[in-house]
Amino acid sequence: MKIFTANQIYKADKFTIEKQQIPSDSLMERAATQLFEWIHSRLQGAEVTIQLFCGIGNNGGDGIALARLLKEADYNIQVHVVNYSEKRSKDFLLNLERLKDRKIWPEFLNDDCVMPEISPNDIIVDAIFGIGLNRAPSEWVGKLIEHINASQAFVLSVDIPSGLPSDRMPWNANHVVRASYVLSFQVPKLVFFLPETGVYQNQWELLDIGLDAEFLIQEEVDYEFMTQFDVQPIYRPRLKFSHKGTYGHAVIVGGGYGKIGAVQMAANACLSVGAGLATAFVPECGYHSLQTALPEAMVLTDTEDDYISEIKIPFTPNVIGIGMGMGTKEETVQAFGKFLKEVDFPLVIDADGLNILSQNPKLLKDVPKQSILTPHPKELERLIGEWEDDFDKLDKAKTFASKHDIVLVIKGAHTITLYGGKGYVNSTGNPGMATAGSGDVLTGMITGLVAMGYKPLPATVLGVYLHGLAGDIGASLVSYDALKAAGIIESIGKAYLELFKRPEPQEEKGT
């Protein structure tokens, strides 16, 4: 699912209006109708006060048109026009006249107004600013937003929380609506998925307002939101006449005294996602525990007992995942540097492999092209440097990935995979996955998919999605709090089944 910029959404609106030969207010009416049907299907005429705060642009016009439809359905409404400028959009004015024709007189709020009373039992519709906000709200509008946020009422934002720009950080964090729910038109917005801006909405949902399908398909975007239907085509089914060699031989390199479990989890995840064979390369101290905990894997050991001093693999695997639990001892750093000069196929690098690269940037030139790096936030910061905000982070991460021709995974609530100047935002996962070993499992899964023949980018996008989905399934069984990395591995098979599960048909309700 594509993520459009504000400018691309405006282009889609214009293209739709011209191609379908409709007046611009028809799109506003579609938007208002979709908003009304969403609200009405849930309230069913309930006696609750709905307070609509409408700006004077097209977002406000959506709110004004919605107010008319709510009134026609006999809902108890109060309409407030937030009069933040002398400029008004044409379609806002048109819908304001339609509202007045029905004897509905909104209250106009200005910089000297008294703040409207809001009960915690009210429902607020926030339609003050839309996606085109390009400057800080006036101070008095900011105070109004603070008043809305303090009300404890349910806040439904139209398209985007007011005060939140679509392409940058807000000017004042207190002057952004904290939405209980956002109903966004046609496509999601990037700000929904970034840690610093995603906090302004609790949940969001898309409403289809009939923007032209041809434009939506053909328009190139910088980011895509990877849902079940976007990921399904990546999957490659297993063949009847195949064997373990068909699905590749992966090697997992890592571990040190007290950290052999990281390799065990990565190798287990590698096999669980479908790799035909997996070999773990660890210090001598890990041999017996690995053979016992994961009998399906083969084990090679270093000559040193507690750490890796030289990486020698007596065969050519399809892929190597490296770094988890490996440490940054000087001998290990030297072994890793020597290994990078010798290997000539993409790697999956995690944890201490990343830490060694950040401590020794000259080694980056030896990282094979299209290798996959999977840093958590601190590891990413050590790699690319500090950033001012999430947008700066994405810019720096994109530059880093392009410079070194690598697939870069920015792990988080919505993990983002970067490659070739594009970003792929993941739709699965939950807070329970913030637990020890979760990253090792992801590394193992991506390594397994590459071993099976997936190219690095699709392997990463699919691996990230399945990892999050397995975490969702695991958490549904034991709760967010009790989820462990082992529970994610145990749910990988269920995640595959869920990937192709068809929605159950809904029974028709009687009249």
Side-chain angles (χ1 to χ4, degrees):
M1 182 185 299
K2 293 181 178 180
I3 299 173
F4 280 15
T5 63
N7 186 50
Q8 287 174 313
I9 293 170
Y10 293 141
K11 284 171 60 180
D13 287 349
K14 184 179 179 182
F15 187 94
T16 301
I17 289 167
E18 291 176 354
K19 183 176 178 182
Q20 298 179 8
Q21 296 185 340
I22 57 174
S24 59
D25 68 288
S26 291
L27 281 183
M28 190 168 286
E29 193 67 17
R30 289 182 193 176
T33 301
Q34 289 289 330
L35 290 165
F36 169 77
E37 289 179 354
W38 190 94
I39 294 170
H40 184 55
S41 68
R42 286 153 180 81
L43 294 183
Q44 293 292 312
E47 293 185 6
V48 60
T49 298
I50 301 175
Q51 299 209 42
L52 298 99
F53 289 84
C54 306
I56 51 181
N58 282 349
N59 192 255
D62 295 333
I64 293 290
L66 170 62
R68 169 172 43 83
L69 297 176
L70 287 169
K71 189 63 177 178
E72 289 172 355
D74 292 326
Y75 280 98
N76 179 27
I77 66 168
Q78 294 177 17
V79 185
H80 312 279
V81 173
V82 185
N83 207 19
Y84 56 76
S85 170
E86 294 183 3
K87 295 180 180 179
R88 289 156 174 73
S89 78
K90 174 174 66 73
D91 290 335
F92 165 82
L93 291 171
L94 178 62
N95 276 287
L96 184 62
E97 288 305 312
R98 289 172 178 169
L99 195 67
K100 291 177 178 178
D101 287 345
R102 287 156 178 80
K103 310 302 181 187
I104 305 169
W105 310 105
E107 175 191 17
F108 283 78
L109 303 179
N110 299 293
D111 56 2
D112 59 351
C113 68
V114 176
M115 295 295 171
E117 269 192 48
I118 304 172
S119 165
N121 297 321
D122 292 347
I123 292 175
I124 293 174
V125 173
D126 156 39
I128 304 172
F129 301 116
I131 57 173
L133 185 67
N134 56 17
R135 65 180 184 274
S138 302
E139 186 64 24
W140 75 269
V141 179
K143 294 297 181 185
L144 173 63
I145 289 174
E146 289 182 20
H147 178 63
I148 291 171
N149 289 340
S151 69
Q152 299 183 12
F154 181 91
V155 180
L156 179 67
S157 285
V158 174
D159 208 21
I160 194 170
S162 288
L164 179 63
S166 62
D167 58 358
R168 53 155 291 159
M169 293 296 297
W171 296 271
N172 185 331
N174 294 321
H175 293 173
V176 181
V177 168
R178 297 269 178 171
S180 311
Y181 215 100
V182 177
L183 293 177
S184 199
F185 299 134
Q186 205 74 50
V187 291
K189 282 62 179 174
L190 183 60
V191 287
F192 295 171
F193 310 114
L194 305 180
E196 292 177 327
T197 55
V199 295
Y200 295 107
Q201 64 272 321
N202 190 38
Q203 289 180 281
W204 61 272
E205 187 175 325
L206 294 182
L207 298 180
D208 186 350
I209 60 170
L211 294 183
D212 186 77
E214 178 188 352
F215 182 91
L216 298 177
I217 291 169
Q218 293 183 356
E219 184 73 3
E220 290 294 324
V221 295
D222 289 337
Y223 293 92
E224 292 189 38
F225 184 56
M226 304 307 292
T227 67
Q228 176 185 2
F229 300 106
D230 301 297
V231 172
Q232 279 178 346
I234 299 174
Y235 173 76
R236 296 164 52 175
R238 292 170 91 92
L239 304 173
K240 178 179 179 180
F241 295 103
S242 58
H243 51 84
K244 62 187 177 185
T246 308
Y247 303 107
H249 192 161
V251 171
I252 304 292
V253 179
Y257 186 79
K259 294 184 178 179
I260 297 300
V263 177
Q264 185 267 325
M265 286 186 289
N268 193 357
C270 179
L271 288 167
S272 297
V273 85
L277 295 157
T279 295
F281 185 95
V282 293
E284 180 70 31
C285 65
Y287 178 78
H288 292 289
S289 60
L290 266 171
Q291 291 278 258
T292 303
L294 190 62
E296 297 93 342
M298 294 170 282
V299 182
L300 294 170
T301 62
D302 195 278
T303 55
E304 290 292 335
D305 189 56
D306 294 346
Y307 61 90
I308 288 174
S309 64
E310 188 174 15
I311 303 169
K312 282 188 174 181
I313 302 167
F315 59 90
T316 302
N318 297 93
V319 63
I320 297 173
I322 186 168
M324 60 293 300
M326 191 166 66
T328 57
K329 196 176 179 69
E330 182 57 35
E331 292 88 341
T332 305
V333 173
Q334 292 178 6
F336 185 55
K338 184 170 182 270
F339 164 76
L340 288 178
K341 290 182 182 300
E342 295 170 349
V343 72
D344 61 356
F345 51 81
L347 306 170
V348 184
I349 306 176
D350 187 27
D352 286 322
L354 301 172
N355 292 330
I356 291 173
L357 290 175
S358 62
Q359 292 166 11
N360 304 270
K362 64 182 183 296
L363 295 180
L364 283 164
K365 70 180 188 308
D366 296 323
V367 173
K369 304 303 181 188
Q370 295 191 48
S371 287
I372 301 159
L373 277 59
T374 61
H376 61 53
K378 269 298 174 187
E379 291 164 348
L380 179 67
E381 184 181 317
R382 289 192 282 267
L383 277 173
I384 69 173
E386 295 182 354
W387 51 78
E388 293 181 9
D389 54 47
D390 283 342
F391 292 94
D392 186 40
K393 174 178 68 176
L394 285 175
D395 288 342
K396 287 183 174 178
K398 272 187 176 182
T399 300
F400 180 87
S402 296
K403 177 182 177 181
H404 299 289
D405 192 16
I406 55 145
V407 179
L408 185 61
V409 179
I410 302 178
K411 292 189 285 197
H414 286 284
T415 293
I416 302 176
T417 300
L418 299 174
Y419 183 72
K422 287 194 64 171
Y424 303 86
V425 182
N426 190 45
S427 62
T428 58
N430 63 80
M433 299 177 73
T435 185
S438 179
D440 302 319
V441 173
L442 175 61
T443 299
M445 293 177 70
I446 295 173
T447 303
L449 290 167
V450 176
M452 294 162 66
Y454 290 89
K455 297 296 183 185
L457 179 59
T460 305
V461 171
L462 178 58
V464 167
Y465 183 89
L466 288 172
H467 178 252
L469 186 55
D472 290 340
I473 293 167
S476 73
L477 300 173
V478 300
S479 80
Y480 292 163
D481 304 274
L483 183 65
K484 294 191 297 184
I488 300 173
I489 297 172
E490 290 168 3
S491 298
I492 292 172
K494 296 186 183 74
Y496 270 125
L497 295 174
E498 188 70 23
L499 181 61
F500 290 97
K501 187 176 180 180
R502 294 182 180 179
E504 294 182 5
Q506 295 183 345
E507 293 183 10
E508 292 188 11
K509 294 180 180 179
T511 56

